């Protein structure tokens, strides 16, 4: 943290320094990909290493970070519970925007958040067509086979993506890495009948949420076909920008 940033922190009303620093440490750990050494975190937040050690020790004792055998620190499982609760609240607030998107596309729309190594659907607005897609809110899907998962992967550094996909076989991993790169270039990700035969999904990442997020539209492959991809992706991006702006406003940024 620079001197100017330190003065800005100090000028904010009702800021408790230890809490402020703890949040800085957690955010720095998240920005490092979820795993880092205390010295790296200290450099990122411009705090003395002993201070960061004490904060990490407290977070470790409460389960919000985990100290690995090689002495690095990782985000802990207790954060998942908080993230799930925040995601559910965020999901409820976005329903009007999702409803407008359904009116434009006439297909089912979903919002999902990254929870550990899967995506969790937190909100849905259903199409009114007789043949429509339905995904249960709360359902978790794999990153590498879902549109929402691939969309979130496009926002991660390549090294982080490789870590996330490390459990896959070499051939599958390389195929997914190639698809992620293609998705970055075209601006949207596709689940091409990977979750369910006859169902296709287009998705884009949504920045600024309580966790990495993605917005998707799902429909029968006969309707959601290549000829409509560009138009659908444009509507998705517009709504994603609307959601991001709403989250920024609610966070006071």
């Amino acid at each position: 943290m620079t001197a100017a940033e330190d003065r800005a922190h100090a000028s904010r009303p009702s800021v408790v320094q230890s809490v402020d620093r703890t949040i800085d440490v957690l955010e720095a750990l998240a920005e490092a990909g979820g795993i880092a050494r205390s010295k790296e975190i200290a450099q990122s937040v411009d705090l003395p290493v002993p201070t960061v050690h004490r904060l990490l020790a407290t977070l470790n004792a409460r389960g919000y970070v985990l100290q690995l055998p090689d002495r690095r620190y990782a985000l802990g499982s207790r954060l998942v519970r908080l993230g799930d609760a925040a995601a559910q609240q965020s999901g409820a607030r976005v329903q009007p925007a999702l409803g407008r998107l359904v009116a434009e596309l006439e297909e089912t729309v979903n919002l999902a958040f990254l929870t550990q190594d899967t995506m969790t659907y937190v909100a849905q607005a259903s199409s009114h067509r007789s043949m429509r897609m339905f995904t249960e809110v709360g359902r978790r899907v794999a990153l590498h086979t879902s549109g929402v998962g691939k969309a979130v992967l496009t926002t991660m550094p390549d090294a982080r993506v490789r870590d996330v996909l490390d459990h896959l076989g070499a051939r599958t991993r390389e195929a997914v890495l190639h698809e992620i790169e293609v998705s970055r270039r075209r601006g949207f990700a596709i689940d091409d009948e990977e979750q369910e035969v006859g169902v296709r999904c287009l998705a884009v990442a949504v920045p600024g949420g309580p966790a990495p997020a993605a917005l998707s539209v799902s429909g029968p492959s006969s309707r959601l076909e290549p000829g409509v991809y560009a138009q659908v992706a444009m509507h998705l991006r517009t709504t994603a920008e609307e959601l991001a702006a709403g989250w920024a406003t609610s966070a006071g940024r």
Side-chain angles (χ1 to χ4, degrees):
M1 185 182 302
T2 65
E5 288 171 329
D6 199 34
R7 288 193 296 272
H9 275 232
S11 67
R12 281 182 284 170
S14 305
V15 171
V16 179
Q17 187 183 60
S18 60
V19 176
D20 205 38
R21 288 177 168 179
T22 300
I23 293 172
D24 284 342
V25 165
L26 285 172
E27 290 184 344
L29 185 53
E31 289 172 4
I35 300 177
R37 299 188 184 280
S38 57
K39 183 178 180 180
E40 296 167 340
I41 297 171
Q43 291 173 341
S44 176
V45 299
D46 196 17
L47 287 174
V49 174
T51 299
V52 172
H53 268 305
R54 290 194 296 271
L55 294 173
L56 287 169
T58 301
L59 290 166
N60 183 54
R62 296 293 301 272
Y64 291 100
V65 302
L66 173 67
Q67 188 170 30
L68 304 175
D70 63 2
R71 311 302 292 174
R72 292 185 300 169
Y73 287 89
L75 295 174
S77 59
R78 289 290 294 275
L79 290 170
V80 175
R81 182 168 60 108
L82 296 181
D84 283 347
Q88 289 173 9
Q89 292 179 352
S90 294
R93 290 197 299 269
V94 305
Q95 285 298 151
L98 300 192
R100 289 191 292 273
L101 186 56
V102 168
E104 292 167 347
L105 298 178
E106 298 186 333
E107 300 290 359
T108 297
V109 173
N110 291 286
L111 179 68
F113 282 92
L114 177 66
T115 50
Q116 289 185 307
D117 57 353
T118 61
M119 297 297 294
T120 301
Y121 290 107
V122 299
Q124 180 181 88
S126 297
S127 167
H128 300 297
R129 295 190 178 195
S130 57
M131 183 183 293
R132 58 189 178 184
M133 303 302 104
F134 177 78
T135 298
E136 182 180 359
V137 172
R139 179 189 174 196
R140 296 192 176 194
V141 291
L143 288 169
H144 68 287
T145 59
S146 63
V148 287
K150 294 173 189 176
V152 165
L153 287 175
T154 65
T155 68
M156 298 181 182
D158 287 342
R160 175 58 175 155
V161 174
R162 287 186 176 275
D163 285 342
V164 170
L165 302 178
D166 189 55
H167 66 288
L168 300 176
R171 180 176 297 181
T172 301
R173 183 171 60 251
E174 291 306 314
V176 175
L177 287 168
H178 173 72
E179 186 173 357
I180 296 307
E181 182 54 35
V182 171
S183 298
R184 285 183 181 132
R185 292 198 300 267
R186 70 186 171 205
F188 60 90
I190 300 177
D191 159 13
D192 193 5
E193 303 189 16
E194 294 162 74
Q195 293 292 319
E196 187 174 346
V197 175
V199 176
R200 193 170 280 144
C201 170
L202 265 65
V204 299
V206 187
L215 181 68
S216 71
V217 58
S218 300
S221 301
S222 58
R223 292 202 303 254
L224 201 56
E225 47 87 29
V228 303
Y229 285 178
Q231 182 180 11
V232 169
M234 179 187 69
H235 284 293
L236 283 171
R237 283 191 288 268
T238 298
T239 301
E241 291 169 2
E242 179 185 349
L243 296 181
W247 287 334
T249 300
S250 64
R253 294 197 291 270

